[in-house]
Amino acid sequence: AELDANLSDGRVGSPCSADTARGVGHTGQRDGQPQHTCTPEGGVAGPPVPQACFDFIVIGAGIAGVSMAAELSRDARVALVERESQPGYHATGRSAALFAELYGNATIRGLTRASRRFFFDPPPGFAPHALVSARSTLFFAAHDEAAALDELQSSLGHAPGLQRLSIAETLARVPVFKPGFLSGALLDSGSADIDVGGLLQGYATLC
């Protein structure tokens, strides 16, 4: 995939119909064939660039856009378009991501479990270091939320790494709660921080 980070207004041009155009773009080759970008109307003036047609245009080079472009580029010509000066400029660059198999509803938990192998054992060469590092997660409940904590524990079953903590055990780990506030907590010792920057760069390399 090709990354164009210089569009003036974020608009995408029409399908290619000429050999060259003036504006912003990048060119490259795939399977020995030249590739060219379509130039948006009103784009910043620049030197003539060859045009090309793409199978897909992905708007936005955050983690969602970069990962999608990387996967699509396995079998198709892809243009990845970003208005900012670098990928991951907004939400991705400020994300504190957590891998937690016990978080969310049944569908979310299933998707998280399915992604474990990728995060904990990424493909060779994807990243120069680990994508995750261990960090436990605490689900705590106030006195009027004790029933909800029981229900959560029941819905999670005997999940690996899940432990019910007493009030004293919870305060020993997180001594910031006011006296009398807690009814108990659940500790997930199988969760982990995700290196968002490493994840983004790994997908960007595949592009």
Side-chain angles (χ1 to χ4, degrees):
E2 300 179 19
L3 175 63
D4 188 335
N6 299 301
L7 300 188
S8 64
D9 57 6
R11 292 180 291 171
V12 178
S14 303
C16 304
S17 59
D19 292 332
T20 61
R22 295 193 66 83
V24 179
H26 293 286
T27 64
Q29 290 192 348
R30 188 183 184 90
D31 300 328
Q33 300 298 318
Q35 294 187 46
H36 325 282
T37 59
C38 300
T39 304
E41 296 179 3
V44 177
V49 294
Q51 285 189 343
C53 296
F54 294 94
D55 300 306
F56 300 96
I57 298 176
V58 179
I59 308 300
I63 188 60
V66 170
S67 59
M68 179 180 293
E71 296 296 337
L72 289 172
S73 66
R74 296 175 185 269
D75 304 299
R77 294 184 177 92
V78 180
L80 176 59
V81 182
E82 171 58 61
R83 186 176 185 180
E84 302 294 352
S85 59
Q86 64 185 44
Y89 188 89
H90 290 288
T92 296
R94 295 185 288 274
S95 175
L98 182 74
F99 180 90
E101 293 177 309
L102 305 185
Y103 175 80
N105 58 33
T107 300
I108 296 300
R109 295 198 297 268
L111 290 171
T112 304
R113 287 193 298 270
S115 67
R116 166 177 276 275
R117 181 176 179 181
F118 173 83
F119 284 111
F120 284 80
D121 186 20
F126 183 86
H129 50 75
L131 293 177
V132 293
S133 56
R135 179 183 294 276
S136 297
T137 304
L138 188 73
F139 300 85
F140 62 88
H143 270 292
D144 58 351
E145 298 171 329
L149 188 67
D150 292 337
E151 182 179 350
L152 175 62
Q153 183 176 13
S154 177
S155 69
L156 295 176
H158 299 287
L162 182 65
Q163 178 185 357
R164 183 70 177 249
L165 299 183
S166 66
I167 296 175
E169 290 171 326
T170 304
L171 290 174
R173 289 177 175 272
V174 188
V176 297
F177 294 104
K178 293 181 178 179
F181 174 79
L182 287 172
S183 65
L186 294 174
L187 180 69
D188 174 16
S189 60
S191 54
D193 287 333
I194 298 174
D195 180 355
V196 179
L199 186 64
L200 181 71
Q201 292 303 315
Y203 276 120
T205 301
L206 295 180
C207 289

